[in-house]
Amino acid sequence: MLLTPATVFAGGLLTNTNQNAAFLRQMSQDAIIDITGLYCNPAGTAFLNKGWHLSVDWQIATQSRNITTTFPLFGFNAAAPGQTTREFKGDAFAPVIPSFQLSYNHDKWSVSAAFAVCGGGGKCEFDKGLGSFEALYGSTLYGSVVPTMVEAYAQAAVPQLIAAGMPYADAVAKATADGLVYANNNFGYSMDSYMKGRQYNFGLQLGATYKALDNLAFFGGLRVVYANNNYNGYVRDVKYYVAGNPTSVPADLTLDCDQTGWGVTPILGVDWKINEHWNLAAKYEFKTRMRLKNSTTMNAYAQAQVAAGNATLAQFADGESVANDIPGILFVGGQYSPIKPVRINAGFHYYFDKSATTYGDKQDLIDKNTWELTAGAEWDICKWVTVSASWQSTNYGLSDAYMNDLSFNLSSNALGLGCRINACERCSIDVGYMHNFYKDRTVTTPTAIGDKVDLYKRTNDVVGVGVNLNF
């Protein structure tokens, strides 16, 4: 039943592509030649000047994840009687997202290292829990209390109806129907629900680039990924109401789960600097096998649910190994410079989501792999300042069955703006801002009680600053 991580970055389901402030101002980095392109185009670092190149960056990200859920049983919530639609809002904030990129170039060889939050990021808190919590508890209470109320009402009414001359079968039918109306008008429930999730994937990338020709370079490297997640929440003070009289239900649930694990991502890259106007590049990251180990504290009721076969809670069971692979990625891009001060960029990203194993084989619920298009331009308006703007379209192929309020992603268009200030010959400063325009999505799930309708919305804003040094 619990809990969802917050992903406050651009990129695929488990991958962040914005790993520095330069990306925020110019998101189409697949063929740039710059120390800040070490993630998107690592082979391009071969064409940097001899010596050391360092970029140190800091980003701040905020996000909201809003789910508006409509479900018939919500009308019985004692806090909002008759209202079948509820809004559940989660806020995520990551005030410090650090990263660095480092390269040393000598003749035909260069070696590089980079560190960034390559997946997840920040915390997300739902102070009223989620609609799936309330729907589950409401259904359970409704299913256990209302039938008892209907039966009691019918047992009292049937003899009176028969005495009034009504045939037995008709008396049972009427008493049952009247009893259901009575139960619906006199039943209610309440609970206190809360959840918070945190997810970080830290990546340390090491690699080397070889300039095979004056205009052709190859990259090979590895990224070591360490995952550190926490999921904490509860449902407590559960009550049902009959004719306004509350009865406590021993169904409180608490969970505190830490997940840790690591994996290795092999990376290959190539850059072809055709001439002073054109540059083409590509990068492929292999799938990262990740198995996260749980260290969990649950109360007795939650443990009983796991023992009874609750598949959702089982993924948080103490000692459980949870599959959470990072999919392979293909980046392809080009840069065109019609005149020296202007650079126009475009790129294509393809994420092999369906081949990445996740807990419960959830990857089988993905209809199509994620793909992205990027485009951007930058202009050196003078010796000291470069301005830039860019666009990125992220397109997920997730089925309705994949989507739920515990974990959801929405396709989006992102806009990036910013500038580079050349403070001196050896130092520059990047300042960038990125905003995501998400596409709302409605998912209808049939249930025995009636349709559950979820409207998913998200917002995302990231700002960043980076300092680049050459020495």
Side-chain angles (χ1 to χ4, degrees):
M1 294 162 54
L2 307 174
L3 297 156
T4 182
T7 302
V8 294
F9 293 90
L13 295 176
L14 293 172
T15 307
N16 299 334
T17 54
N18 56 311
Q19 300 196 1
N20 52 45
F23 177 94
L24 301 179
R25 70 175 182 85
Q26 211 292 84
M27 292 182 287
S28 190
Q29 292 196 334
D30 305 294
I32 69 168
I33 296 175
D34 194 90
I35 184 59
T36 60
L38 184 56
Y39 171 74
C40 290
N41 181 25
T45 58
F47 301 105
L48 297 176
N49 295 329
K50 290 184 179 180
W52 291 94
H53 305 271
L54 172 66
S55 177
V56 180
D57 297 80
W58 173 32
Q59 296 182 67
I60 303 173
T62 61
Q63 186 186 88
S64 67
R65 300 163 64 92
N66 301 327
I67 309 105
T68 301
T69 302
T70 301
F71 189 56
L73 288 187
F74 286 175
F76 298 114
N77 189 312
Q83 298 182 19
T84 58
T85 298
R86 299 282 303 279
E87 182 178 15
F88 301 88
K89 183 176 181 180
D91 295 310
F93 179 56
V96 179
I97 308 167
S99 64
F100 76 81
Q101 298 85 39
L102 175 67
S103 177
Y104 175 73
N105 288 37
H106 181 72
D107 293 333
K108 292 185 176 183
W109 285 94
S110 64
V111 293
S112 59
F115 172 83
V117 180
C118 59
K123 303 176 182 179
C124 191
E125 184 175 13
F126 291 83
D127 57 5
K128 296 181 180 179
L130 288 172
S132 58
F133 295 10
E134 186 170 332
L136 176 62
Y137 272 80
S139 299
T140 301
L141 296 177
Y142 185 87
S144 62
V145 176
V146 169
T148 301
M149 296 172 63
V150 172
E151 182 179 357
Y153 187 96
Q155 287 179 352
V158 166
Q160 299 177 20
L161 294 173
I162 293 176
M166 183 176 290
Y168 174 77
D170 294 342
V172 171
K174 178 174 175 50
T176 301
D178 291 345
L180 182 59
V181 172
Y182 166 79
N184 286 342
N185 289 334
N186 287 273
F187 168 76
Y189 66 84
S190 66
M191 66 186 67
D192 179 17
S193 183
Y194 168 85
M195 63 155 291
K196 179 171 67 175
R198 168 179 57 78
Q199 183 188 60
Y200 287 104
N201 284 357
F202 301 101
L204 177 62
Q205 177 179 311
L206 302 172
T209 304
Y210 177 67
K211 189 187 295 185
L213 301 172
D214 288 342
N215 65 343
L216 182 65
F218 297 93
F219 172 86
L222 297 172
R223 182 183 303 113
V224 179
V225 180
Y226 174 73
N228 187 301
N229 308 331
N230 176 263
Y231 308 94
N232 182 286
Y234 58 77
V235 178
R236 64 190 182 190
D237 296 334
V238 183
K239 298 181 177 69
Y240 67 78
Y241 297 79
V242 177
N245 298 315
T247 301
S248 295
V249 180
D252 289 3
L253 184 150
T254 62
L255 168 69
D256 187 359
C257 175
D258 288 312
Q259 290 182 334
T260 57
W262 66 280
V264 177
T265 309
I267 307 169
L268 299 175
V270 60
D271 188 289
W272 181 23
K273 193 172 175 23
I274 300 175
N275 52 42
E276 62 181 5
H277 297 290
W278 286 96
N279 188 61
L280 302 178
K283 179 189 77 165
Y284 179 72
E285 295 191 1
F286 291 82
K287 180 179 74 173
T288 309
R289 185 183 185 275
M290 298 286 288
R291 296 296 181 269
L292 308 183
K293 188 67 175 292
N294 291 345
S295 177
T296 306
T297 301
M298 291 183 177
N299 69 343
Y301 180 77
Q303 294 178 24
Q305 296 302 307
V306 172
N310 185 306
T312 305
L313 274 179
Q315 66 182 301
F316 301 107
D318 186 47
E320 181 77 11
S321 180
V322 179
N324 199 43
D325 291 349
I326 300 173
I329 314 170
L330 174 66
F331 283 16
V332 179
Q335 177 176 276
Y336 173 61
S337 179
I339 57 176
K340 190 173 182 180
V342 176
R343 292 165 296 280
I344 302 170
N345 301 274
F348 173 75
H349 307 159
Y350 191 80
Y351 300 81
F352 297 87
D353 300 316
K354 292 173 67 66
S355 301
T357 304
T358 55
Y359 183 84
D361 291 326
K362 195 176 180 182
Q363 73 278 2
D364 295 338
L365 301 178
I366 298 174
D367 291 333
K368 298 178 181 179
N369 289 323
T370 303
W371 59 275
E372 289 179 325
L373 292 176
T374 69
E378 54 184 8
W379 175 29
D380 304 329
I381 60 175
C382 67
K383 180 180 179 181
W384 309 107
V385 179
T386 298
V387 295
S388 58
S390 59
W391 161 83
Q392 176 172 282
S393 175
T394 302
N395 302 274
Y396 298 107
L398 308 177
S399 67
D400 283 355
Y402 185 97
M403 298 283 290
N404 60 68
D405 56 9
L406 300 175
S407 177
F408 69 90
N409 291 78
L410 300 175
S411 297
S412 69
N413 286 286
L415 177 66
L417 300 168
C419 67
R420 170 171 287 186
I421 301 170
N422 298 303
C424 64
E425 182 179 355
R426 296 183 178 274
C427 176
S428 63
I429 300 171
D430 287 311
V431 179
Y433 167 73
M434 180 186 72
H435 176 78
N436 287 79
F437 299 88
Y438 288 98
K439 301 175 183 178
D440 298 348
R441 181 167 175 180
T442 299
V443 175
T444 300
T445 306
T447 75
I449 300 169
D451 288 346
K452 179 175 175 285
V453 182
D454 295 294
L455 172 61
Y456 299 100
K457 296 182 177 183
R458 291 177 67 167
T459 64
N460 187 52
D461 293 275
V462 188
V463 296
V465 60
V467 177
N468 313 307
L469 301 173
N470 302 306
F471 51 95

